[in-house]
Amino acid sequence: MAKTPGAPTPAAPTPKDAPESAASATGKGRATPTRAEREAARKRPLVPDTKEAKARARADLAAQREKARAGMAAGDERYLPVRDKGPQRRWVRDFVDSGFHLGEAVMPAMVLVIVATFVPVLAVQYWSFVVLWIFILFVIGDMIITSIRVKRAAREKFGADKMEKGLGWYAAMRSIQMRFLRLPKPQVKRRGFRGGVA
């Protein structure tokens, strides 16, 4: 095709304009990040590592722990450990909490014996230990009786084939704890359990 005389010849792109043309063609407008830059970006924390963020995280964790503690004390199944979960374990706790057991007085008895050891009378110290050991024997007997009663009542209520293992031991160990120290907290008053009286 013949060129029209006098028509201006388009200027060839200068080296300075070449990167801009390439960037416009690709649409990126910036250099492709290297592999090391991409990995560094992935490792960068999304939340700024500031004192405020750490304090907020600690406050959230403390609130969650307090919620879990309150839920466990109230007997909420969502916050109970495995050994305390289930309707049969709840039933055993109510069975034990509805009565009085000798094991609840073990800790006070031990405190009295410790106090007695400071009395500068050998007979007082000797007999305080003797009485303590006799009392512990009665406590063990009460634990055995409680275990037998719980297993018998649970067998009648839930059926021998559906009764969970370890209910007797679970009841015996709870019976030697002071009432206000038990976890989960007692949900029934003394003699207030309709499913059985411990």
Side-chain angles (χ1 to χ4, degrees):
M1 181 176 180
K3 294 182 181 180
T4 305
T9 303
T14 61
K16 187 176 182 180
D17 296 334
E20 295 180 2
S21 300
S24 300
T26 58
K28 295 172 64 175
R30 57 184 177 82
T32 302
T34 63
R35 181 178 181 182
E37 292 174 346
R38 291 196 300 270
E39 291 180 355
R42 283 198 299 267
K43 293 180 180 180
R44 189 179 302 116
L46 298 177
V47 181
D49 189 14
T50 61
K51 292 183 177 180
E52 292 79 5
K54 290 182 178 179
R56 193 180 307 110
R58 284 195 298 266
D60 293 342
L61 182 60
Q64 293 176 2
R65 288 178 176 174
E66 176 60 24
K67 184 178 180 181
R69 187 199 65 78
M72 179 180 178
D76 191 334
E77 292 283 338
R78 295 174 297 175
Y79 303 103
L80 293 180
V82 177
R83 65 182 176 86
D84 295 320
K85 285 186 176 181
Q88 296 191 26
R89 302 283 169 156
R90 177 185 290 273
W91 180 87
V92 171
R93 291 196 298 270
D94 292 343
F95 189 102
V96 173
D97 296 339
S98 65
F100 177 80
H101 303 274
L102 295 177
E104 299 179 40
V106 168
M107 290 182 63
M110 288 184 173
V111 172
L112 290 177
V113 170
I114 293 175
V115 173
T117 58
F118 292 98
V119 177
V121 179
L122 187 60
V124 173
Q125 298 177 4
Y126 172 79
W127 285 108
S128 62
F129 278 102
V130 171
V131 171
L132 176 63
W133 280 108
I134 294 175
F135 178 70
I136 289 177
L137 291 177
F138 278 99
V139 169
I140 294 174
D142 182 65
M143 292 172 64
I144 295 173
I145 294 173
T146 301
S147 175
I148 293 173
R149 293 184 63 193
V150 164
K151 288 191 291 186
R152 183 173 58 208
R155 193 177 297 111
E156 294 176 357
K157 182 175 180 62
F158 301 105
D161 55 336
K162 296 181 180 180
M163 189 178 72
E164 297 178 0
K165 294 182 179 180
L167 295 183
W169 176 255
Y170 183 71
M173 295 307 297
R174 188 171 178 86
S175 70
I176 62 174
Q177 300 174 6
M178 298 182 72
R179 184 178 175 87
F180 69 93
L181 293 177
R182 293 171 182 169
L183 282 177
K185 295 292 184 182
Q187 302 297 313
V188 296
K189 297 180 179 180
R190 295 192 191 273
R191 303 295 176 182
F193 182 44
R194 297 180 180 178
V197 179

